[in-house]
mmCIF file of all heavy atoms in Angstrom:
data_model
loop_
_atom_site.group_PDB
_atom_site.id
_atom_site.type_symbol
_atom_site.label_atom_id
_atom_site.label_comp_id
_atom_site.label_asym_id
_atom_site.label_seq_id
_atom_site.Cartn_x
_atom_site.Cartn_y
_atom_site.Cartn_z
ATOM 1 N N ARG U 346 -42.621 11.674 2.649
ATOM 2 C CA ARG U 346 -42.402 10.297 3.098
ATOM 3 C C ARG U 346 -41.094 9.749 2.533
ATOM 4 O O ARG U 346 -40.342 9.061 3.226
ATOM 5 C CB ARG U 346 -43.583 9.422 2.660
ATOM 6 C CG ARG U 346 -43.597 8.043 3.329
ATOM 7 C CD ARG U 346 -44.853 7.265 2.998
ATOM 8 N NE ARG U 346 -46.034 7.912 3.551
ATOM 9 C CZ ARG U 346 -46.998 8.465 2.816
ATOM 10 N NH1 ARG U 346 -46.905 8.445 1.484
ATOM 11 N NH2 ARG U 346 -48.037 9.019 3.390
ATOM 12 N N LEU U 347 -40.815 10.089 1.286
ATOM 13 C CA LEU U 347 -39.558 9.661 0.668
ATOM 14 C C LEU U 347 -38.370 10.284 1.382
ATOM 15 O O LEU U 347 -37.373 9.616 1.665
ATOM 16 C CB LEU U 347 -39.550 10.042 -0.809
ATOM 17 C CG LEU U 347 -38.290 9.695 -1.609
ATOM 18 C CD1 LEU U 347 -38.065 8.198 -1.631
ATOM 19 C CD2 LEU U 347 -38.411 10.234 -3.035
ATOM 20 N N LYS U 348 -38.482 11.571 1.710
ATOM 21 C CA LYS U 348 -37.390 12.247 2.407
ATOM 22 C C LYS U 348 -37.187 11.639 3.792
ATOM 23 O O LYS U 348 -36.053 11.489 4.274
ATOM 24 C CB LYS U 348 -37.677 13.739 2.531
ATOM 25 C CG LYS U 348 -36.526 14.525 3.178
ATOM 26 C CD LYS U 348 -36.831 15.994 3.271
ATOM 27 C CE LYS U 348 -35.623 16.753 3.822
ATOM 28 N NZ LYS U 348 -35.207 16.256 5.149
ATOM 29 N N ALA U 349 -38.290 11.272 4.471
ATOM 30 C CA ALA U 349 -38.179 10.661 5.791
ATOM 31 C C ALA U 349 -37.418 9.343 5.715
ATOM 32 O O ALA U 349 -36.590 9.032 6.586
ATOM 33 C CB ALA U 349 -39.570 10.440 6.385
ATOM 34 N N ARG U 350 -37.707 8.559 4.679
ATOM 35 C CA ARG U 350 -36.993 7.284 4.519
ATOM 36 C C ARG U 350 -35.512 7.516 4.256
ATOM 37 O O ARG U 350 -34.654 6.844 4.824
ATOM 38 C CB ARG U 350 -37.605 6.479 3.366
ATOM 39 C CG ARG U 350 -39.026 6.002 3.607
ATOM 40 C CD ARG U 350 -39.494 5.108 2.478
ATOM 41 N NE ARG U 350 -38.809 3.834 2.487
ATOM 42 C CZ ARG U 350 -39.001 2.881 1.576
ATOM 43 N NH1 ARG U 350 -39.864 3.077 0.601
ATOM 44 N NH2 ARG U 350 -38.346 1.748 1.649
ATOM 45 N N GLU U 351 -35.209 8.512 3.406
ATOM 46 C CA GLU U 351 -33.812 8.804 3.102
ATOM 47 C C GLU U 351 -33.085 9.285 4.357
ATOM 48 O O GLU U 351 -31.933 8.906 4.612
ATOM 49 C CB GLU U 351 -33.727 9.842 1.990
ATOM 50 C CG GLU U 351 -34.189 9.312 0.637
ATOM 51 C CD GLU U 351 -34.147 10.378 -0.448
ATOM 52 O OE1 GLU U 351 -34.083 11.574 -0.096
ATOM 53 O OE2 GLU U 351 -34.176 10.013 -1.640
ATOM 54 N N ASP U 352 -33.748 10.148 5.157
ATOM 55 C CA ASP U 352 -33.137 10.623 6.400
ATOM 56 C C ASP U 352 -32.887 9.465 7.364
ATOM 57 O O ASP U 352 -31.875 9.431 8.069
ATOM 58 C CB ASP U 352 -34.036 11.671 7.062
ATOM 59 C CG ASP U 352 -34.073 12.985 6.287
ATOM 60 O OD1 ASP U 352 -33.184 13.175 5.426
ATOM 61 O OD2 ASP U 352 -34.986 13.789 6.535
ATOM 62 N N PHE U 353 -33.823 8.533 7.401
ATOM 63 C CA PHE U 353 -33.674 7.385 8.292
ATOM 64 C C PHE U 353 -32.464 6.541 7.893
ATOM 65 O O PHE U 353 -31.669 6.143 8.746
ATOM 66 C CB PHE U 353 -34.948 6.536 8.250
ATOM 67 C CG PHE U 353 -34.842 5.238 9.006
ATOM 68 C CD1 PHE U 353 -34.851 5.220 10.387
ATOM 69 C CD2 PHE U 353 -34.719 4.030 8.325
ATOM 70 C CE1 PHE U 353 -34.752 4.026 11.082
ATOM 71 C CE2 PHE U 353 -34.621 2.834 9.012
ATOM 72 C CZ PHE U 353 -34.633 2.830 10.401
ATOM 73 N N PHE U 354 -32.322 6.278 6.589
ATOM 74 C CA PHE U 354 -31.194 5.465 6.149
ATOM 75 C C PHE U 354 -29.863 6.195 6.361
ATOM 76 O O PHE U 354 -28.845 5.571 6.656
ATOM 77 C CB PHE U 354 -31.365 5.080 4.682
ATOM 78 C CG PHE U 354 -32.507 4.129 4.452
ATOM 79 C CD1 PHE U 354 -33.394 4.327 3.407
ATOM 80 C CD2 PHE U 354 -32.704 3.047 5.285
ATOM 81 C CE1 PHE U 354 -34.450 3.457 3.201
ATOM 82 C CE2 PHE U 354 -33.761 2.169 5.086
ATOM 83 C CZ PHE U 354 -34.636 2.380 4.049
ATOM 84 N N ARG U 355 -29.875 7.528 6.225
ATOM 85 C CA ARG U 355 -28.648 8.287 6.493
ATOM 86 C C ARG U 355 -28.278 8.177 7.973
ATOM 87 O O ARG U 355 -27.122 8.009 8.333
ATOM 88 C CB ARG U 355 -28.837 9.744 6.088
ATOM 89 C CG ARG U 355 -27.576 10.577 6.288
ATOM 90 C CD ARG U 355 -27.772 12.027 5.896
ATOM 91 N NE ARG U 355 -27.868 12.164 4.453
ATOM 92 C CZ ARG U 355 -28.977 12.453 3.801
ATOM 93 N NH1 ARG U 355 -30.100 12.619 4.481
ATOM 94 N NH2 ARG U 355 -28.984 12.577 2.503
ATOM 95 N N LEU U 356 -29.284 8.277 8.830
ATOM 96 C CA LEU U 356 -29.046 8.143 10.263
ATOM 97 C C LEU U 356 -28.539 6.749 10.602
ATOM 98 O O LEU U 356 -27.599 6.577 11.390
ATOM 99 C CB LEU U 356 -30.337 8.443 11.037
ATOM 100 C CG LEU U 356 -30.278 8.282 12.560
ATOM 101 C CD1 LEU U 356 -29.278 9.252 13.161
ATOM 102 C CD2 LEU U 356 -31.661 8.495 13.172
ATOM 103 N N MET U 357 -29.151 5.724 10.005
ATOM 104 C CA MET U 357 -28.712 4.355 10.245
ATOM 105 C C MET U 357 -27.270 4.170 9.798
ATOM 106 O O MET U 357 -26.473 3.506 10.469
ATOM 107 C CB MET U 357 -29.621 3.378 9.494
ATOM 108 C CG MET U 357 -30.994 3.212 10.123
ATOM 109 S SD MET U 357 -30.901 2.461 11.769
ATOM 110 C CE MET U 357 -30.276 0.838 11.351
ATOM 111 N N SER U 358 -26.916 4.752 8.662
ATOM 112 C CA SER U 358 -25.546 4.654 8.170
ATOM 113 C C SER U 358 -24.584 5.221 9.191
ATOM 114 O O SER U 358 -23.559 4.617 9.520
ATOM 115 C CB SER U 358 -25.418 5.396 6.836
ATOM 116 O OG SER U 358 -24.059 5.475 6.443
ATOM 117 N N HIS U 359 -24.901 6.404 9.717
ATOM 118 C CA HIS U 359 -24.011 7.053 10.681
ATOM 119 C C HIS U 359 -23.904 6.227 11.962
ATOM 120 O O HIS U 359 -22.801 6.021 12.489
ATOM 121 C CB HIS U 359 -24.531 8.462 10.989
ATOM 122 C CG HIS U 359 -23.652 9.240 11.910
ATOM 123 N ND1 HIS U 359 -23.725 9.132 13.282
ATOM 124 C CD2 HIS U 359 -22.651 10.128 11.645
ATOM 125 C CE1 HIS U 359 -22.825 9.917 13.833
ATOM 126 N NE2 HIS U 359 -22.161 10.532 12.867
ATOM 127 N N GLU U 360 -25.041 5.757 12.457
ATOM 128 C CA GLU U 360 -25.042 5.051 13.730
ATOM 129 C C GLU U 360 -24.316 3.710 13.651
ATOM 130 O O GLU U 360 -23.735 3.249 14.634
ATOM 131 C CB GLU U 360 -26.491 4.835 14.211
ATOM 132 C CG GLU U 360 -27.207 6.120 14.586
ATOM 133 C CD GLU U 360 -26.472 6.887 15.669
ATOM 134 O OE1 GLU U 360 -26.107 6.279 16.689
ATOM 135 O OE2 GLU U 360 -26.257 8.095 15.481
ATOM 136 N N ILE U 361 -24.341 3.054 12.505
ATOM 137 C CA ILE U 361 -23.667 1.764 12.357
ATOM 138 C C ILE U 361 -22.193 1.959 12.030
ATOM 139 O O ILE U 361 -21.325 1.282 12.576
ATOM 140 C CB ILE U 361 -24.351 0.911 11.273
ATOM 141 C CG1 ILE U 361 -25.779 0.556 11.715
ATOM 142 C CG2 ILE U 361 -23.559 -0.360 11.001
ATOM 143 C CD1 ILE U 361 -26.583 -0.163 10.655
ATOM 144 N N ARG U 362 -21.895 2.898 11.142
ATOM 145 C CA ARG U 362 -20.518 3.101 10.731
ATOM 146 C C ARG U 362 -19.639 3.670 11.843
ATOM 147 O O ARG U 362 -18.449 3.387 11.907
ATOM 148 C CB ARG U 362 -20.460 4.038 9.518
ATOM 149 C CG ARG U 362 -20.905 3.435 8.213
ATOM 150 C CD ARG U 362 -20.952 4.526 7.159
ATOM 151 N NE ARG U 362 -21.407 4.063 5.867
ATOM 152 C CZ ARG U 362 -20.605 3.616 4.919
ATOM 153 N NH1 ARG U 362 -19.315 3.560 5.132
ATOM 154 N NH2 ARG U 362 -21.085 3.221 3.761
ATOM 155 N N THR U 363 -20.209 4.500 12.707
ATOM 156 C CA THR U 363 -19.399 5.150 13.737
ATOM 157 C C THR U 363 -18.732 4.133 14.664
ATOM 158 O O THR U 363 -17.513 4.177 14.861
ATOM 159 C CB THR U 363 -20.246 6.164 14.525
ATOM 160 O OG1 THR U 363 -20.665 7.209 13.628
ATOM 161 C CG2 THR U 363 -19.454 6.776 15.659
ATOM 162 N N PRO U 364 -19.464 3.190 15.274
ATOM 163 C CA PRO U 364 -18.757 2.189 16.098
ATOM 164 C C PRO U 364 -17.884 1.261 15.267
ATOM 165 O O PRO U 364 -16.840 0.801 15.741
ATOM 166 C CB PRO U 364 -19.896 1.423 16.792
ATOM 167 C CG PRO U 364 -21.106 1.660 15.949
ATOM 168 C CD PRO U 364 -20.937 3.022 15.370
ATOM 169 N N LEU U 365 -18.282 0.971 14.022
ATOM 170 C CA LEU U 365 -17.440 0.133 13.166
ATOM 171 C C LEU U 365 -16.093 0.801 12.906
ATOM 172 O O LEU U 365 -15.054 0.142 12.835
ATOM 173 C CB LEU U 365 -18.139 -0.139 11.835
ATOM 174 C CG LEU U 365 -18.868 -1.466 11.689
ATOM 175 C CD1 LEU U 365 -19.501 -1.564 10.313
ATOM 176 C CD2 LEU U 365 -17.944 -2.638 11.942
ATOM 177 N N ASN U 366 -16.110 2.126 12.759
ATOM 178 C CA ASN U 366 -14.869 2.862 12.569
ATOM 179 C C ASN U 366 -13.934 2.634 13.747
ATOM 180 O O ASN U 366 -12.730 2.386 13.573
ATOM 181 C CB ASN U 366 -15.173 4.357 12.428
ATOM 182 C CG ASN U 366 -13.917 5.193 12.318
ATOM 183 O OD1 ASN U 366 -13.111 4.977 11.427
ATOM 184 N ND2 ASN U 366 -13.750 6.142 13.224
ATOM 185 N N GLY U 367 -14.488 2.691 14.974
ATOM 186 C CA GLY U 367 -13.655 2.447 16.142
ATOM 187 C C GLY U 367 -13.133 1.023 16.203
ATOM 188 O O GLY U 367 -11.951 0.794 16.488
ATOM 189 N N VAL U 368 -13.997 0.054 15.919
ATOM 190 C CA VAL U 368 -13.586 -1.351 15.968
ATOM 191 C C VAL U 368 -12.487 -1.643 14.948
ATOM 192 O O VAL U 368 -11.418 -2.183 15.279
ATOM 193 C CB VAL U 368 -14.801 -2.276 15.726
ATOM 194 C CG1 VAL U 368 -14.346 -3.722 15.564
ATOM 195 C CG2 VAL U 368 -15.786 -2.162 16.876
ATOM 196 N N MET U 369 -12.734 -1.285 13.684
ATOM 197 C CA MET U 369 -11.767 -1.593 12.632
ATOM 198 C C MET U 369 -10.469 -0.815 12.821
ATOM 199 O O MET U 369 -9.377 -1.331 12.585
ATOM 200 C CB MET U 369 -12.380 -1.287 11.264
ATOM 201 C CG MET U 369 -13.598 -2.120 10.918
ATOM 202 S SD MET U 369 -13.231 -3.883 10.907
ATOM 203 C CE MET U 369 -12.099 -3.967 9.514
#
Side-chain angles (χ1 to χ4, degrees):
R346 192 174 295 113
L347 179 62
K348 184 179 184 302
R350 294 186 70 182
E351 291 178 343
D352 290 344
F353 173 73
F354 292 135
R355 182 180 288 109
L356 177 62
M357 286 295 295
S358 172
H359 183 275
E360 293 302 311
I361 295 174
R362 286 173 182 269
T363 296
L365 262 180
N366 176 58
V368 171
M369 297 300 294

